[in-house]
């Protein structure tokens, strides 16, 4: 890296527009923290959610996902039903440089409440709003707060650029703008 990790992130944002909007310090005042952290970036969850419902008793099939399995919701607080999940999106738009890969992990504040955040890696040259999957593993309803921290993104810079980036292979989730359900 050469630079201290938090300075490296700030430099990459300046040079590549890697995160927009970008918060260059950790924000905590009355909120679940977000912004630059020691070795990563704590991203926020937007106020757009798709709440999974089993009202139609559909079979979950990643090859033929029925969008009617979700109820759209917009608000400052999303209630996730017991033993269920929601899809949401990040507040931040990411542009990953060709020599960078990320791993994203849920914040401990939510994990300690039984909420698990799952996000696949952001591949080199992927860009878009992040679709976040938030699972409520508890037998009780659980709250998620919009515009507050939800997950930490860790950045890994390679010594060389990859042969084929996400943009090169025209990945199906490139440039996603809203909460994006599974695609084939």
């Amino acid at each position: 890296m050469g630079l201290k990790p938090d300075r490296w992130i700030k430099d990459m944002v300046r040079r590549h527009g890697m995160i927009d909007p970008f918060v260059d310090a950790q924000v905590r005042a009355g909120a679940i923290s977000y912004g630059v952290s020691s070795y990563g970036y704590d991203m926020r969850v937007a106020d757009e959610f798709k709440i999974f419902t089993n009202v139609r008793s559909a079979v979950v099939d990643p090859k033929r996902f029925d969008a009617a399995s979700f109820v759209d919701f917009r608000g400052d607080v999303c209630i996730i039903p017991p033993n269920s999940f929601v899809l949401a999106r990040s507040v931040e738009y990411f542009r990953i440089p060709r020599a960078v890969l990320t791993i994203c992990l849920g914040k401990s504040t939510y994990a300690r409440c039984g909420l698990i955040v799952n996000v696949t890696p952001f591949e080199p040259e992927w860009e878009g709003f992040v679709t976040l999957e938030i699972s409520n593993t508890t037998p009780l309803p659980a709250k998620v707060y919009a515009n507050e921290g939800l997950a930490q993104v860790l950045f890994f810079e390679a010594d060389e650029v990859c042969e084929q980036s996400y943009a090169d292979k025209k990945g199906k989730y490139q440039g996603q703008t809203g909460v994006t359900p599974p695609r084939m």
Side-chain angles (χ1 to χ4, degrees):
M1 256 185 207
L3 297 172
K4 291 183 178 181
D6 52 349
R7 289 182 191 250
W8 178 89
I9 293 167
K10 292 174 185 179
D11 181 61
M12 294 299 279
V13 167
R14 184 182 51 75
R15 289 191 298 135
H16 299 281
M18 191 169 70
I19 305 169
D20 183 31
F22 178 69
V23 179
D24 70 353
Q26 187 96 109
V27 175
R28 296 174 185 257
I32 298 172
S33 63
Y34 59 90
V36 171
S37 60
S38 302
Y39 284 89
Y41 189 84
D42 290 0
M43 74 172 142
R44 294 169 286 174
V45 61
D47 65 353
E48 299 173 37
F49 301 90
K50 290 188 178 289
I51 304 170
F52 185 74
T53 178
N54 63 358
V55 170
R56 297 185 54 210
S57 298
V59 172
V60 177
D61 182 347
K63 290 186 175 184
R64 290 176 184 71
F65 193 83
D66 183 357
S69 295
F70 288 117
V71 174
D72 291 336
F73 173 77
R74 186 172 212 130
D76 292 334
V77 175
C78 178
I79 306 292
I80 305 175
N83 302 306
S84 191
F85 75 97
V86 301
L87 294 181
R89 77 163 176 87
S90 62
V91 167
E92 295 85 0
Y93 189 93
F94 288 83
R95 292 173 191 85
I96 306 303
R98 191 171 184 104
V100 174
L101 175 73
T102 76
I103 293 176
C104 186
L105 304 165
K107 291 184 65 70
S108 63
T109 300
Y110 280 116
R112 292 168 196 223
C113 293
L115 295 174
I116 307 302
V117 178
N118 184 39
V119 179
T120 58
F122 311 166
E123 293 186 42
E125 291 193 326
W126 173 81
E127 74 170 75
F129 288 100
V130 179
T131 295
L132 306 155
E133 188 259 314
I134 311 160
S135 295
N136 177 1
T137 65
T138 76
L140 303 170
K143 289 183 178 183
V144 171
Y145 294 91
N147 300 305
E148 296 190 23
L150 183 78
Q152 184 179 59
V153 181
L154 304 175
F155 300 89
F156 298 91
E157 186 174 32
D159 293 334
E160 300 178 13
V161 296
C162 59
E163 282 188 34
Q164 186 177 40
S165 73
Y166 196 78
D168 294 340
K169 60 184 175 183
K170 306 211 182 326
K172 61 187 170 188
Y173 299 110
Q174 183 74 314
Q176 63 191 14
T177 56
V179 180
T180 307
R183 294 179 177 159
M184 267 304 289

